[in-house]
Amino acid sequence: MTRVLRTTTVGSFAKPDYLQKARTRFSSGRIGEGELDRLTRQATKEVVEMQGALGLDLFVHGEMERGDMVGYFGERLPGMRPGELVRSYGNRYYHKPVIAGEVRWDRPITVDLWRYAQSLTDKPMKGMLTGPYTIVEWSFDEHYGSRREAVLAMAHAIHEEAAALAKAGAKYIQVDEPAIHTRPEADFDLAVEAMACVVQGVDAEFHTHICYGDVAKIYPGMLRLPVKQIHLAFKNADFELMKLLEADPWDPRKELGLGVIDVHDHAIESQAEVEAGIRRALHLLPPERVWVEPDCGLKTRTPEEVRAKLAVMIAARDAVRRELGA
Amino acid sequence: MQATVVGSYPRVSDSPEGQRLRRAIARWERQEISREGLRAVQVDVLREVVREQAAAGLDLVTDGQVTWYDPLSHFAAKLDGFEVGALERYFDTNTYYRQPKAVGPVRWRVPMTVDDFKAAAAAARTPVKAVLTGPYTLAALSARGPSDDLVMALAEALGREVEALAAAGATDIQIDEPAFVLAKEFPKLYGHIAGLLLRRKGRARTTIFVAFGGVGPFLDDLLMLPFDVIGLDLAQGASTIAALRTAEVDRGIAFGLVDARNTRLEDSKAVAKTVLSFADRVPLDRSFLCPSNGLEFLPRVRAREKLEVVVTAASLVKEGMP
């Protein structure tokens, strides 16, 4: 792929109705794991096909198998116990897992579905992981009692998963850390140390996604994260974050994931406003180091909205590429 | 020594029935039910939450804040002079609030908490504590921060809400000021602010509650304020305990000793022992035992279990009081 203004998405896609229903039926014991898995793969295939039709550069598998980015790992890592519902904001809830014992990794969690999704396309498929700081921060810790101990134990487990993805052939792995700015003064060094532990010796290009909260407090410190691409949600606050990059230059060795689509707004962006957002980034960075993406995972939107929003994103990217003669 | 809560209570639980409010909001957003239809479900859940607190044995309950989107926009959206904006992290929690922005003169327009207070009072066998987010916190977590003018205008506006609550029969009113934990120094004007807030409180007993951290350096300032009870987060703000051991305390303390942000259950005896260690410094007969902050950060089942820890510990304190 040309490296000028590459496109990808942040990870999750809207689950189709039939999968939502199947997941509900599965949790009440009305269908078995085999049937759920078949429908999960069907939905994954549709997500891959949608990305192909839209013309994205780096694909995701859509996270059709995940209810929640933390709960999914919480249900599968030894030492953790699935949690009950707590509210995140508004009408959004998640099952908040419990760290009940020593956290370990005993087998690949995400590799099978990644391998399946990759088998459906020649485009590269991102491995999708939740970062150790975020998993710990969004869990109840009944075991360690020290955030440092819990986060580093989690980092070792996620490192094993990253290594398994790379071994299976993943060239790109995204480690989401949306909670990384929860305690910027107290904990940012710990989060960086944890990320270093995750990527250590793993042969893949690492990306991270940081969203909402007080991003200003960890900029430019976030440039210390040992990843190739850092993705930020720009559109949600009308590109306010661009002021940070204007004040303190971006690291020339790093790529910027530019969130240009608001995932919390039903309204479909206009192509002109997405183009304007891309051009703002191009004042600061060469197009080879800018990735055009939505602000966050797309699971909050309907499949129709996802398709429409991504189509606008690609059209805007294409228009700016043409201007650049790329 | 009475058992109470700080404010919020989980509005859903894991059972399908326990998620009726969640479903109702989703249906309302899709315009499948009316505002009145949604309100009926909200009030139903509010009553259930009130009864659950009373059944656990609390002496003083709240409406659980089950109708609040968050502690900021619930007020900002109903006051004149604010716009409500994008999501921001609420302290160091994994919850988010819609950030208010003052765009014009801030004024009280309509009651913001009175209907829920009345619904709770009608459902409760115990007194109900009305809770408001305080003027400093509303200003500090808004887009432009806590300027003196904004805090003052909010104090005037929230003073009208206090008046409306008192007129509706509220005997206990709590002002939440968690943003004190973010302040470098105690806001000097706050004595005056508190006066504005409380001037039409009638006979209501008043509490100021500071959660999400310690207030050791400000404890003396808090103890100068004209509130009947000073509420302290002594879990995340465990550092305040040392300050409390040397402070001159002439009023009730709400001891937030039961961690409302971790599912690990405390030992009631240990909690009671900590409270009793203050028997010679703090008027325990005017004090409360409570969670460290609102219980909505916990799953419903665990919130209920935490209430039992609070209630059991409070009765152990009563037994052990000199």
Side-chain angles (χ1 to χ4, degrees):
Chain A
M1 56 182 156
T2 164
R3 296 177 64 81
V4 172
L5 296 174
R6 285 165 288 177
T7 53
T8 187
T9 61
V10 179
S12 67
F13 270 64
K15 291 184 182 67
D17 255 3
Y18 68 82
L19 183 60
Q20 296 274 25
K21 287 184 181 135
R23 289 171 65 84
T24 308
R25 285 199 294 272
F26 175 73
S27 30
S28 57
R30 283 177 288 162
I31 62 168
E33 205 166 328
E35 178 64 0
L36 180 64
D37 187 55
R38 186 182 71 75
L39 294 171
T40 300
R41 282 172 188 255
Q42 181 184 323
T44 303
K45 185 160 179 278
E46 288 163 11
V47 166
V48 172
E49 285 167 356
M50 188 202 293
Q51 293 171 86
L54 287 161
L56 283 139
D57 299 308
L58 174 57
F59 283 21
V60 298
H61 75 286
E63 301 177 18
M64 294 294 129
E65 81 286 21
R66 303 184 195 181
D68 170 84
M69 62 186 292
V70 168
Y72 180 74
F73 291 93
E75 287 160 18
R76 285 159 181 83
L77 285 169
M80 297 193 75
R81 162 176 105 218
E84 288 143 333
L85 282 180
V86 295
R87 196 162 72 103
S88 168
Y89 65 90
N91 203 30
R92 300 198 73 83
Y93 295 80
Y94 68 105
H95 288 96
K96 185 166 179 172
V98 178
I99 300 171
E102 197 180 325
V103 173
R104 292 176 297 107
W105 179 92
D106 60 354
R107 73 193 70 176
I109 295 170
T110 64
V111 173
D112 269 0
L113 206 56
W114 176 86
R115 201 178 262 132
Y116 170 70
Q118 183 64 84
S119 76
L120 302 170
T121 176
D122 295 332
K123 291 285 179 74
M125 183 67 58
K126 257 194 285 195
M128 297 299 310
L129 301 175
T130 305
Y133 189 84
T134 297
I135 297 183
V136 170
E137 185 52 39
W138 292 358
S139 302
F140 294 112
D141 173 20
E142 294 188 2
H143 176 73
Y144 291 97
S146 133
R147 205 150 46 232
R148 181 177 172 79
E149 272 183 58
V151 169
L152 293 180
M154 192 64 71
H156 284 289
I158 298 302
H159 164 80
E160 294 294 337
E161 185 65 20
L165 277 167
K167 196 172 157 207
K171 299 276 182 278
Y172 298 85
I173 298 174
Q174 181 174 309
V175 183
D176 290 341
E177 284 286 23
I180 200 167
H181 39 36
T182 307
R183 292 177 201 81
E185 288 88 10
D187 278 358
F188 194 71
D189 287 347
L190 171 60
V192 173
E193 187 180 346
M195 185 67 85
C197 173
V198 170
V199 306
Q200 175 76 42
V202 178
D203 184 19
E205 179 175 312
F206 279 89
H207 296 183
T208 191
H209 159 66
I210 296 169
C211 70
Y212 308 130
D214 203 347
V215 172
K217 285 211 172 120
I218 58 163
Y219 190 83
M222 70 168 77
L223 298 170
R224 289 193 282 124
L225 285 165
V227 294
K228 182 76 175 174
Q229 190 220 93
I230 299 176
H231 171 272
L232 301 171
F234 284 88
K235 182 67 175 77
N236 183 252
D238 284 329
F239 290 85
E240 190 73 12
L241 288 180
M242 205 56 86
K243 289 183 184 155
L244 298 176
L245 277 66
E246 285 159 3
D248 268 298
W250 192 252
D251 181 335
R253 292 160 302 178
K254 283 199 167 25
E255 291 165 358
L256 173 67
L258 183 74
V260 295
I261 297 289
D262 189 346
V263 302
H264 293 286
D265 191 350
H266 293 288
I268 310 299
E269 284 76 3
S270 73
Q271 185 178 324
E273 67 181 307
V274 177
E275 283 180 32
I278 297 172
R279 286 191 201 100
R280 279 195 70 170
L282 295 183
H283 289 306
L284 303 173
L285 285 155
E288 295 79 10
R289 286 200 283 118
V290 176
W291 290 77
V292 179
E293 309 184 32
D295 269 358
C296 196
L298 292 161
K299 69 176 177 184
T300 53
R301 298 276 64 89
T302 65
E304 296 71 32
E305 286 169 348
V306 167
R307 199 181 297 272
K309 280 177 175 266
L310 289 180
V312 169
M313 184 181 97
I314 301 276
R317 186 283 304 268
D318 289 348
V320 179
R321 252 191 194 171
R322 279 195 297 276
E323 274 171 23
L324 296 168
Chain B
M1 168 59 56
Q2 294 193 317
T4 191
V5 284
V6 179
S8 68
Y9 197 75
R11 62 189 74 177
V12 307
S13 63
D14 279 49
S15 71
E17 170 68 4
Q19 292 181 56
R20 61 194 187 282
L21 179 55
R22 187 184 186 186
R23 283 195 303 275
I25 292 172
R27 294 187 64 200
W28 177 70
E29 284 174 346
R30 292 195 300 265
Q31 301 182 342
E32 292 168 10
I33 60 169
S34 63
R35 168 63 79 179
E36 293 70 35
L38 172 60
R39 177 70 189 167
V41 181
Q42 286 176 323
V43 170
D44 185 47
V45 171
L46 185 155
R47 288 188 188 125
E48 177 187 89
V49 158
V50 165
R51 286 193 292 263
E52 188 162 313
Q53 295 172 66
L58 290 183
D59 302 299
L60 182 62
V61 304
T62 67
D63 62 16
Q65 300 171 358
V66 297
T67 69
W68 296 21
Y69 187 96
D70 63 62
L72 284 303
S73 64
H74 184 76
F75 294 92
K78 297 188 184 75
L79 290 166
D80 274 341
F82 277 109
E83 277 175 4
V84 173
L87 291 169
E88 289 289 332
R89 186 186 304 284
Y90 186 61
F91 293 90
D92 62 346
T93 71
N94 43 7
T95 68
Y96 297 82
Y97 69 97
R98 296 253 169 221
Q99 189 177 47
K101 183 179 186 181
V103 292
V106 169
R107 275 190 291 258
W108 184 88
R109 192 173 69 224
V110 289
M112 300 173 280
T113 57
V114 172
D115 283 352
D116 286 359
F117 168 75
K118 285 181 180 165
R125 286 180 283 129
T126 62
V128 173
K129 174 166 66 174
V131 181
L132 304 177
T133 302
Y136 182 80
T137 297
L138 273 167
L141 301 192
S142 74
R144 292 184 180 142
S147 67
D148 289 350
D149 287 353
L150 180 56
V151 179
M152 202 78 87
L154 279 162
E156 286 280 359
L158 292 166
R160 296 280 304 276
E161 187 70 11
V162 168
E163 181 182 11
L165 283 165
T171 53
D172 276 273
I173 299 175
Q174 176 178 300
I175 306 296
D176 285 349
E177 288 289 17
F180 283 166
V181 305
L182 305 175
K184 299 249 176 335
E185 52 188 49
F186 192 77
K188 286 186 207 68
L189 281 171
Y190 207 84
H192 179 57
I193 294 295
L196 287 176
L197 264 175
L198 302 181
R199 66 183 161 182
R200 297 192 193 93
K201 72 174 184 65
R203 298 160 62 92
R205 174 171 51 184
T206 58
T207 299
I208 184 165
F209 204 102
V210 186
F212 304 119
V215 289
F218 307 153
L219 187 59
D220 289 341
D221 298 291
L222 286 173
L223 288 165
M224 301 281 284
L225 297 174
F227 292 90
D228 301 308
V229 179
I230 309 297
L232 301 170
D233 171 345
L234 301 174
Q236 192 174 356
S239 60
T240 306
I241 291 176
L244 198 55
R245 294 214 183 278
T246 56
E248 295 287 328
V249 185
D250 62 349
R251 64 196 77 194
I253 295 292
F255 288 90
L257 277 163
V258 174
D259 192 343
R261 294 188 57 189
N262 195 306
T263 44
R264 191 171 39 217
L265 287 176
E266 288 81 358
D267 171 18
S268 299
K269 283 187 196 140
V271 173
K273 198 174 157 197
T274 305
V275 176
L276 283 167
S277 72
F278 288 98
D280 60 340
R281 307 204 61 87
V282 174
L284 295 186
D285 55 339
R286 282 177 278 155
S287 293
F288 293 84
L289 192 53
C290 57
S292 55
N293 49 260
L295 282 166
E296 211 195 351
F297 303 96
L298 295 175
R300 179 75 164 262
V301 174
R302 201 38 73 100
R304 177 73 162 80
E305 289 167 345
K306 290 272 181 174
L307 290 184
E308 281 161 23
V309 174
V310 168
V311 168
T312 307
S315 58
L316 290 171
V317 171
K318 272 184 269 190
E319 283 169 21
M321 268 161 62

